[in-house]
Amino acid sequence: MSTLFLIFPAQSACSVTTNCPSLCSLLALKYGSYVTEHPADVGVAITAFKGENGYTVSTPHGEQQTDTPLSVIDRYLFGIADYAPTIFALHGAAVEWRGGAYLFLASTTGGKTTLASYLTSRGCAYLTDDCILLERETLLVQPYTAPIQLRDGGMEVLQKYSAVPDGVQILQEGNFLRRFVYTPAHCAKQAVPLKKIFFIQRNECENCLLPMNTNERMMSLMQAPITNYTVTGDYLRFLSRLAKADCQILRYCDMDFVKELIQNG
Amino acid sequence: MDRPLQDKALQYKILTAALHSGRDISLTVTGISMNPLMYEGDCVTVRRADTYSVGDVLVFFYKGEILIHRLLKIQNGRYFCKGDNALRLEDMTSDQIAGKAILLNGQSLPQMPDTTVALSYLVNRTFRACGYNAKITKQSGIYRFYHQILWKVEDKTMKYKKNESMDYIPSDETSLAVFDPETGDTHFFDETGIDILTILDEPCDLETLLEKLCEIYDATPDGIRSDVEEFLAKCIATKVVEVL
């Protein structure tokens, strides 16, 4: 029996106790350095026991029989994620270049991960793949360097750019979850000031930047959180402040256009 | 000799059975609740649909009556209808709905703008807030404004004012977010909207508002009247502006 502790930045820690070594390996592969065996205070304790008929995953919300315990645990953790009130958590990827954080916001399968992976292969430091932790007061972006998880399509794109990362492992669970997983060699080590926010739109033929007026920025930012924040006047005041940052729509068909944009202005 | 069917429930059953068979059915309007769109004696053609949208004019069975009223809201599987010229809101489930009006006297049914639909709903909310007193409701700003739009008559006594119970969050001169603490809705305004709402810091009638806007913009009152009226209707429907 093993207990692993998942300690993510700006969130409550949780533990997973399991009798299955391969689940331990999958957890380590998925969450990287945020998984430890060193005991920590946890808000949530999960158990995942392997039996003759699959796994029994128990959380404070109930018990579930499954063949895909990692997916069940990940969905559960996503659902209960409670970010520190000082943090604004956005659904996006981010890289650091010369002391500034560049944010790429898009919905799932919008190209964030592939872009972040490519940019880190071209000299940018990795900040995050999926969840941007922005400090509300200072607008610093905290590193959240869980392993990058590329889909098949993303890996194919990187192959075309000759930018396949080193040390890639395959994370696979059942027929549904299959990712190429790695942690970039060059990760940001400390919080980085926000430099630009790009609302990315991948396409087949166009590279351009489009300006956004303040209302468009606010409305786009309202769509961007990774979790459901209650909209209040104070929340909108924060978004109004954030909207004063350099926000643009970035349409790209060539990731080198994005690289040039960041590295050469 | 045919006998008139007195049993409304039976009439409704026959109506729904006919509509379920795929046929369109014609009904004759009685009453005044859908004035000025429909009048007594008008012929409405009804068709069954799989789904109904806010703004549709529905035929439904409610408290022993077959009604032709407009759908104003759908919430938690319940449908809320009201006559355009009525105050009462009827709520029902989808199985009480027979179909929707598609033709009026053989002509396509004109669509009611979303803003007017929202105002019609607000009229009912006002009716409720007034203790279901029709006389007091009809004196309210929201009713008078809706009545003016519905009947296309001008009420020059109405004054408008920015609703102080909203939370106004200016970003810069081009952006204002208005948060409604009651509904949780957020509304955004650009420069022109900000200018109008700034004028409406103080109670103001339409003519004065138009004059003040013409001092800011190179325009004539009649040139911007319809745009400003539409803007006001949207603001009133979202409660950003009150009618005094």
Side-chain angles (χ1 to χ4, degrees), chain B residues 17-31:
Chain B
L19 289 166
H20 267 281
S21 73
R23 280 191 293 152
D24 294 343
I25 300 294
S26 293
L27 298 176
T28 302
V29 174
T30 59

Side-chain angles (χ1 to χ4, degrees), chain B:
Chain B
M1 196 173 84
D2 289 344
R3 279 192 312 166
L5 278 172
Q6 297 299 326
D7 185 337
K8 298 285 184 186
L10 182 57
Q11 279 185 28
Y12 179 74
K13 278 184 184 170
I14 294 168
L15 173 66
T16 46
L19 289 166
H20 267 281
S21 73
R23 280 191 293 152
D24 294 343
I25 300 294
S26 293
L27 298 176
T28 302
V29 174
T30 59
I32 60 165
S33 65
M34 281 301 284
N35 289 5
L37 176 67
M38 296 173 180
Y39 285 90
E40 180 108 11
D42 280 347
C43 175
V44 174
T45 307
V46 184
R47 180 176 293 172
R48 190 181 143 68
D50 291 332
T51 58
Y52 300 101
S53 306
V54 167
D56 286 347
V57 176
L58 303 185
V59 174
F60 56 94
F61 192 65
Y62 185 81
K63 292 188 177 173
E65 294 289 329
I66 298 171
L67 300 177
I68 307 178
H69 282 170
R70 193 178 299 279
L71 177 59
L72 300 185
K73 189 173 182 173
I74 305 171
Q75 190 174 48
N76 301 328
R78 297 199 74 81
Y79 293 70
F80 296 86
C81 292
K82 173 180 157 299
D84 290 350
N85 192 37
L87 299 174
R88 182 185 75 174
L89 197 67
E90 298 105 12
D91 85 298
M92 70 208 72
T93 53
S94 59
D95 58 4
Q96 287 170 261
I97 301 168
K100 72 174 183 179
I102 54 163
L103 298 174
L104 175 63
N105 298 324
Q107 305 289 314
S108 297
L109 215 60
Q111 273 205 323
M112 180 181 263
D114 293 347
T115 306
T116 315
V117 173
L119 286 168
S120 181
Y121 180 74
L122 281 182
V123 164
N124 169 267
R125 296 295 86 184
T126 307
F127 182 46
R128 196 174 80 154
C130 292
Y132 300 102
N133 183 317
K135 191 176 172 188
I136 297 173
T137 305
K138 288 181 178 181
Q139 290 166 355
S140 68
I142 197 81
Y143 178 85
R144 285 160 57 216
F145 187 79
Y146 171 73
H147 185 265
Q148 173 182 267
I149 288 180
L150 190 68
W151 293 88
K152 296 183 172 62
V153 290
E154 201 172 338
D155 181 349
K156 295 197 173 186
T157 64
M158 273 194 291
K159 289 196 172 187
Y160 307 96
K161 188 177 183 307
K162 195 167 89 176
N163 184 349
E164 296 300 337
S165 67
M166 297 284 181
D167 195 349
Y168 292 86
I169 299 135
S171 288
D172 53 34
E173 67 276 10
T174 67
S175 168
L176 171 70
V178 181
F179 178 66
D180 182 344
E182 198 178 305
T183 63
D185 293 337
T186 307
H187 312 286
F188 288 94
F189 294 90
D190 62 10
E191 299 106 303
T192 315
I194 293 169
D195 285 335
I196 294 174
L197 290 177
T198 304
I199 295 169
L200 297 181
D201 277 336
E202 299 297 327
C204 186
D205 62 35
L206 178 62
E207 296 308 319
T208 311
L209 174 61
L210 291 170
E211 278 172 27
K212 288 188 174 179
L213 284 169
C214 289
E215 289 169 12
I216 302 171
Y217 296 96
D218 184 16
T220 61
D222 284 338
I224 58 173
R225 184 180 299 274
S226 63
D227 287 342
V228 173
E229 283 175 340
E230 191 181 330
F231 176 86
L232 280 176
K234 282 183 184 167
C235 287
I236 291 161
T238 52
K239 298 187 287 171
V240 174
V241 167
E242 293 176 302
V243 186
L244 305 178

Side-chain angles (χ1 to χ4, degrees), chain A residues 201-229:
Chain A
Q201 296 176 357
R202 195 181 39 175
N203 71 95
E204 295 299 321
C205 58
E206 191 181 24
N207 291 310
C208 67
L209 275 175
L210 300 174
M212 303 171 81
N213 66 37
T214 311
N215 281 342
E216 288 168 339
R217 295 173 184 205
M218 293 265 294
M219 285 186 260
S220 297
L221 287 168
M222 285 180 80
Q223 308 294 320
I226 200 164
T227 187
N228 287 328
Y229 289 110

Side-chain angles (χ1 to χ4, degrees), chain A residues 6 23 39 44 53 55 79 92 104 108 112 116 140 146 173 179-180 195 216 222 225 231 235 251-252 255 261:
Chain A
L6 311 182
L23 179 58
V44 171
N53 299 315
Y55 292 82
F104 305 102
T108 303
K112 305 181 296 288
L140 290 170
E173 187 183 55
R179 298 283 187 274
F180 297 94
K195 181 77 174 178
E216 288 168 339
M222 285 180 80
V231 178
Y235 177 75
R251 284 191 188 151
Y252 69 96
M255 293 196 294
L261 204 65

Side-chain angles (χ1 to χ4, degrees), chain A residues 107-203:
Chain A
S107 53
T108 303
T109 71
K112 305 181 296 288
T113 299
T114 310
L115 187 57
S117 181
Y118 179 66
L119 293 171
T120 55
S121 77
R122 294 295 184 262
C124 295
Y126 174 54
L127 268 167
T128 186
D129 166 23
D130 195 50
C131 177
I132 298 165
L133 301 175
L134 183 69
E135 292 178 12
R136 288 180 189 238
E137 194 59 40
T138 59
L139 298 188
L140 290 170
V141 179
Q142 287 187 7
Y144 185 5
T145 53
I148 287 182
Q149 297 175 39
L150 291 157
R151 295 164 195 269
D152 289 351
M155 186 55 106
E156 283 169 24
V157 171
L158 292 177
Q159 281 166 350
K160 285 181 193 160
Y161 279 83
S162 302
V164 175
D166 293 331
V168 172
Q169 293 176 276
I170 292 180
L171 170 67
Q172 181 143 13
E173 187 183 55
N175 295 322
F176 300 106
L177 178 69
R178 178 181 144 87
R179 298 283 187 274
F180 297 94
V181 179
Y182 77 104
T183 301
H186 187 195
C187 291
K189 299 287 183 235
Q190 58 192 23
V192 181
L194 173 63
K195 181 77 174 178
K196 275 179 189 273
I197 300 174
F198 294 115
F199 294 91
I200 61 170
Q201 296 176 357
R202 195 181 39 175
N203 71 95

